[in-house]
Amino acid sequence: MRRVAALHYHPDGYGTAGKPIIGRRVAGEEFLRALVRHGGLQALRALVQDRAQAEAFRAHVAAIDPVLETSAHTYEDPAGFDDAGMIFVPGAAMSTYAWWRRRHRQDAFSLCGVTHTTATDRAMDAIGDLLVAPLQPWDALVCTSRAALGMVRRLLDEQGAYLRDRFGTGRIEGPLLAEIPLGVDTASFAPLPEARQRWRERLGIGAEDVAAIVVGRLSQVTKFTPAPMYLALERAAQGASRRMHLILAGYFEPEQARGVFLDGAAALCPSVTVHHVDATEPSARREIWSAADLFTLPVDNVQETFGLAPVEAMAAGLPVVVTDWDGFRDTVEEGVHGFRIPTLMGGPGADLALRYAAGMDAYSNYVLGASLGVAMDIPRAAEAYRTLVEDADRRRAMGAAAAAHARARYDWAAVIPRYLDLFDQLAELRRGGGERTPPQPGREPVPLRPDPMRIFADYPTTAIAREMRFALAPGAGLDALRARARVPGVVGRGSLLPTERQLVAMLTRLAEGPATAAELAALAPPGRGARGLVWLLKYDLVRRID
């Protein structure tokens, strides 16, 4: 069977080059590469806004597989996706695409979105809109972890209860919810012995020293509060038989976070030697893993939903010490691949929600405020660090188990087939029918984005009608048409009008005698004919006759 896939393509969603390295960009970049490499595709389509995006898409795919058939289609050509059967959207905001599809045919193809950050107001609105937009049983939202799935279900449950109460209806449903993790190219994280020696010499890490590493965005606001980690590291370092190092590999966001991380380390873990490496540089990003003996990331922030970094660390053969939090709870098996440190959440949160919703707090203050109510077990973290520092055999065993686990479950070669199975499931549901809220004849398919000529019908004296009759204005013809068209401002949005040849055909017909609007409009493509007739009337090339 010929397998064709499609995705909504915008360069910002599928590339990290020249941009801050954030989770959704890394995930999008890796997903596209993996879909091309492991999807068994004969063709890949893209939904784009313009020619520049189309060219960027073709170049992007060609760099991965120069022989894969590609095509790009704008929103004006939904039929270009009928053979694909689905369009992947790199986020949870699927409602726009569902309304767009409704103008075409709701059973033409499925839509599949994926969660990234779910804590922003925009993300929550997008998830809530899934119950209002015309999503169908053959659409799906992929949640990347059990924690993300639980959050989405709670949000939809609350929104659904409100909608049922508000409108007195019994059935409120959204798309299918599926759980599929993010993936990594595990081979690209294989340890590099030469890089290990080079980086450890550069940083002054001795052969018997033990280095922990944090890789990612160094932000207390949107990633994690470093102070508890420092307290645990200091407890582990005191009395340790080996010198301990901590490598902070990433970039500070915002730059003021430099003091939070570096000054905080100096104050709270003076027994640990702390290094900062700017891992946004490609070679450093690839090599720095090899300098470490263990990975740690004690996230306490609701911004996180899956967490790629621990999976990347496991692929690099590192044991991990992470908080028992969000997606980490799925990816790391306690005592096998490393340690998951228990977390506790508590305190009020309604005030945070109110201030954020009212615009009193920015998103950064909202998530930072929420992290105040999250704590990890510092003694347990210190014990985990001490275990891995003192026991080289345990480090090696856990690192080997982690690498095998990452290859088996989180390599894209294992993840992409799960997406393909989901796409096949959606296709089967589509074939089974059961369309929800089909468009009704005479009604707007997209109520809040209607045809302006219909919704503003009370503005003009009258509207054009098929039976209206028109005649050629005195002196009208090709020369007059071209003279009008040369005047600045006369041909605004000319691509929406009939061609010059089609307009001349209208004038030629009227030279034979009066004609109806229906007859004249038929001389140009549907929709453009009537618009072209009004344009001729607008510039006194034709006249209405009673």
PDB file of all heavy atoms in Angstrom, residues 44 97 122 171 312 399 485 502 517 530:
ATOM      1  N   LEU A  44       5.346  12.758   1.048  1.00  0.00           N
ATOM      2  CA  LEU A  44       5.069  13.589   2.215  1.00  0.00           C
ATOM      3  C   LEU A  44       4.523  14.924   1.728  1.00  0.00           C
ATOM      4  O   LEU A  44       5.122  15.573   0.870  1.00  0.00           O
ATOM      5  CB  LEU A  44       6.344  13.811   3.045  1.00  0.00           C
ATOM      6  CG  LEU A  44       6.194  14.624   4.327  1.00  0.00           C
ATOM      7  CD1 LEU A  44       5.234  13.936   5.303  1.00  0.00           C
ATOM      8  CD2 LEU A  44       7.557  14.827   5.001  1.00  0.00           C
ATOM      9  N   TYR A  97      -7.526  24.160  12.256  1.00  0.00           N
ATOM     10  CA  TYR A  97      -7.448  23.220  11.142  1.00  0.00           C
ATOM     11  C   TYR A  97      -8.765  22.455  10.980  1.00  0.00           C
ATOM     12  O   TYR A  97      -9.143  22.091   9.864  1.00  0.00           O
ATOM     13  CB  TYR A  97      -6.279  22.268  11.356  1.00  0.00           C
ATOM     14  CG  TYR A  97      -5.011  23.023  11.670  1.00  0.00           C
ATOM     15  CD1 TYR A  97      -4.586  23.201  12.980  1.00  0.00           C
ATOM     16  CD2 TYR A  97      -4.274  23.616  10.657  1.00  0.00           C
ATOM     17  CE1 TYR A  97      -3.449  23.931  13.270  1.00  0.00           C
ATOM     18  CE2 TYR A  97      -3.129  24.349  10.933  1.00  0.00           C
ATOM     19  CZ  TYR A  97      -2.726  24.502  12.246  1.00  0.00           C
ATOM     20  OH  TYR A  97      -1.611  25.244  12.531  1.00  0.00           O
ATOM     21  N   ARG A 122      -2.662  30.110  26.358  1.00  0.00           N
ATOM     22  CA  ARG A 122      -2.930  29.752  24.962  1.00  0.00           C
ATOM     23  C   ARG A 122      -3.071  28.250  24.795  1.00  0.00           C
ATOM     24  O   ARG A 122      -3.937  27.769  24.055  1.00  0.00           O
ATOM     25  CB  ARG A 122      -1.815  30.274  24.053  1.00  0.00           C
ATOM     26  CG  ARG A 122      -1.781  31.797  23.921  1.00  0.00           C
ATOM     27  CD  ARG A 122      -0.619  32.254  23.059  1.00  0.00           C
ATOM     28  NE  ARG A 122      -0.717  31.725  21.708  1.00  0.00           N
ATOM     29  CZ  ARG A 122       0.229  31.906  20.791  1.00  0.00           C
ATOM     30  NH1 ARG A 122       1.336  32.588  21.092  1.00  0.00           N
ATOM     31  NH2 ARG A 122       0.083  31.410  19.578  1.00  0.00           N
ATOM     32  N   ARG A 171     -24.187  15.461  25.193  1.00  0.00           N
ATOM     33  CA  ARG A 171     -22.980  14.910  24.590  1.00  0.00           C
ATOM     34  C   ARG A 171     -21.985  16.004  24.243  1.00  0.00           C
ATOM     35  O   ARG A 171     -22.252  16.852  23.406  1.00  0.00           O
ATOM     36  CB  ARG A 171     -23.327  14.125  23.320  1.00  0.00           C
ATOM     37  CG  ARG A 171     -22.134  13.373  22.737  1.00  0.00           C
ATOM     38  CD  ARG A 171     -22.518  12.584  21.498  1.00  0.00           C
ATOM     39  NE  ARG A 171     -22.710  13.463  20.349  1.00  0.00           N
ATOM     40  CZ  ARG A 171     -23.068  13.044  19.147  1.00  0.00           C
ATOM     41  NH1 ARG A 171     -23.312  11.763  18.967  1.00  0.00           N
ATOM     42  NH2 ARG A 171     -23.205  13.893  18.154  1.00  0.00           N
ATOM     43  N   GLU A 312      17.661  11.675  26.500  1.00  0.00           N
ATOM     44  CA  GLU A 312      18.924  11.890  25.803  1.00  0.00           C
ATOM     45  C   GLU A 312      20.094  11.419  26.677  1.00  0.00           C
ATOM     46  O   GLU A 312      21.040  10.800  26.178  1.00  0.00           O
ATOM     47  CB  GLU A 312      19.076  13.358  25.451  1.00  0.00           C
ATOM     48  CG  GLU A 312      18.051  13.854  24.432  1.00  0.00           C
ATOM     49  CD  GLU A 312      18.078  15.359  24.239  1.00  0.00           C
ATOM     50  OE1 GLU A 312      18.581  16.069  25.130  1.00  0.00           O
ATOM     51  OE2 GLU A 312      17.582  15.819  23.192  1.00  0.00           O
ATOM     52  N   GLY A 399      23.858   2.949  33.798  1.00  0.00           N
ATOM     53  CA  GLY A 399      24.036   3.619  32.521  1.00  0.00           C
ATOM     54  C   GLY A 399      23.784   2.667  31.356  1.00  0.00           C
ATOM     55  O   GLY A 399      23.140   3.043  30.360  1.00  0.00           O
ATOM     56  N   ALA A 485      -7.295  50.115 -15.195  1.00  0.00           N
ATOM     57  CA  ALA A 485      -6.423  49.236 -14.427  1.00  0.00           C
ATOM     58  C   ALA A 485      -5.066  49.864 -14.129  1.00  0.00           C
ATOM     59  O   ALA A 485      -4.407  49.516 -13.140  1.00  0.00           O
ATOM     60  CB  ALA A 485      -6.233  47.909 -15.161  1.00  0.00           C
ATOM     61  N   GLN A 502     -10.907  37.154 -19.082  1.00  0.00           N
ATOM     62  CA  GLN A 502     -12.268  36.840 -18.626  1.00  0.00           C
ATOM     63  C   GLN A 502     -13.106  38.109 -18.487  1.00  0.00           C
ATOM     64  O   GLN A 502     -14.303  38.120 -18.812  1.00  0.00           O
ATOM     65  CB  GLN A 502     -12.197  36.079 -17.299  1.00  0.00           C
ATOM     66  CG  GLN A 502     -11.623  34.676 -17.465  1.00  0.00           C
ATOM     67  CD  GLN A 502     -11.089  34.088 -16.165  1.00  0.00           C
ATOM     68  OE1 GLN A 502     -11.006  34.773 -15.138  1.00  0.00           O
ATOM     69  NE2 GLN A 502     -10.717  32.813 -16.208  1.00  0.00           N
ATOM     70  N   ALA A 517     -26.760  38.824 -14.370  1.00  0.00           N
ATOM     71  CA  ALA A 517     -25.566  38.608 -13.549  1.00  0.00           C
ATOM     72  C   ALA A 517     -25.123  37.152 -13.635  1.00  0.00           C
ATOM     73  O   ALA A 517     -23.916  36.857 -13.686  1.00  0.00           O
ATOM     74  CB  ALA A 517     -25.848  38.995 -12.105  1.00  0.00           C
ATOM     75  N   ALA A 530     -18.769  36.797 -10.185  1.00  0.00           N
ATOM     76  CA  ALA A 530     -19.621  37.811  -9.576  1.00  0.00           C
ATOM     77  C   ALA A 530     -18.790  38.972  -9.047  1.00  0.00           C
ATOM     78  O   ALA A 530     -19.169  40.147  -9.182  1.00  0.00           O
ATOM     79  CB  ALA A 530     -20.444  37.192  -8.441  1.00  0.00           C
TER      80      ALA A 530
END
